[in-house]
Amino acid sequence: MLTPTSHEDRDDRIVEACAITLDYGSGQGIFDISFSLGSGVTVLAGNNGAGKTTLMESLQGLRNPQSGSVRILGLDTFRHRAQLALQTGSVLQGVTPYPTAKPREFLAYLGRLYPTARGANELMDIFQIPDTKSIKTLSGGEVQRLNCAAALVGAPKVVFLDEPTAGLDPGGRADLYGILREQALHGVVMLITTHLTEDIDQLADRALVLTQGNLTADVSKKSLASTEALTFKCRTNLPTAQLLSALPLESTARETVKGHYLITAQSHIGSEVIATVEAWCAQNGTQPENLSVGVETLSSVVLSKLSKDSSQIS
């Protein structure tokens, strides 16, 4: 089991998962997962079948794990599901609400279910949702924006979004990033699943990685701020151990995706390291392309954890 991130402030434990397990058999499910969430946006990443949706549904009380516990705002999610429904929001996969209703009518209806609600007009403007046609005639991207708006109707303190950018074009994703980051700045705690590296780098303050139902990484953007990174492309399956032996101490070298390499270092990556990479490539009969130095990204950490099946993250 991965050791949960340490937190000193109770506000960093708005969502608490403690050793939750839901075993479907044949290695399917989630196993002994513990972590806590506080302010900001956390991305839950993993290959297909890793258990992301099972974990998201377990956190919301939609599935009952065989062992362990989940608390949101100090309340057990299974014993206090009705009470927490008024303080949380959710976007599930493949949901199309009330096809014959108009979006404004739908959001206004939802608002009447909450003691404190955001106005339908406000959310329509924020998410740029057209109200000239019924929901069934909206595009896939428009429905997804409507689902995200619906998740925020009750002015929730915690929001669970299962692949919220699915079906959105690049412009739509960029708009949604801005909206969700704005909500996070106002104190909304978000857990988001995704298959897109762009979502991780543009949205997340933190990334949790699931591998075959196990939590295998818990990394914050803040923890990477002091780590410099060199990325480059060249022929796949080169001996990175050979390269690592020639790099400074506390460096790492790995192939994150087929033909894409990443070097990280706690010290400055300068011309000497670049020369070492070029010499290593030449020794292996190739040359590096697209050399770039910067700060290590959350998506590169995620990809390295999922490198055994990285084709599922794009």
Side-chain angles (χ1 to χ4, degrees), residues 235-256:
R235 198 176 71 240
T236 190
N237 292 326
L238 295 182
T240 53
Q242 180 190 62
L243 172 60
L244 185 59
S245 66
L247 293 172
L249 293 175
E250 299 186 5
S251 299
T252 68
R254 59 186 182 268
E255 186 176 8
T256 57

Side-chain angles (χ1 to χ4, degrees), residues 1 17-21 30-35 55 69 210 213-215:
M1 180 183 71
C18 182
I20 58 175
T21 293
I30 53 176
F31 308 99
D32 202 22
I33 291 180
S34 297
F35 63 88
L55 177 55
S69 63
L210 277 184
N214 295 281
L215 187 60

Side-chain angles (χ1 to χ4, degrees), residues 14-15 37 72-73 87-90 151 156-160 187-191:
I14 294 172
V15 178
L37 300 179
I72 298 177
L73 301 168
Q87 301 181 73
T88 60
S90 178
K157 297 177 181 178
V158 182
V159 176
F160 300 93
V188 179
V189 177
M190 296 187 188
L191 181 63

Side-chain angles (χ1 to χ4, degrees), residues 176-204:
L176 186 59
Y177 295 153
I179 293 168
L180 296 181
R181 290 300 308 172
E182 181 71 17
Q183 302 308 308
L185 288 174
H186 284 84
V188 179
V189 177
M190 296 187 188
L191 181 63
I192 296 174
T193 69
T194 186
H195 280 281
L196 298 176
T197 56
E198 182 185 8
D199 289 358
I200 298 171
D201 289 331
Q202 294 295 324
L203 273 175

Side-chain angles (χ1 to χ4, degrees), residues 19 36 47 56-57 59 76 102 114 190 213 263 270 277 289-290:
S36 59
N47 295 333
M56 290 284 275
E57 293 178 350
L59 292 173
D76 184 280
K102 287 188 175 182
Y114 294 91
M190 296 187 188
I263 293 172
V277 169
E289 299 178 355
N290 300 340

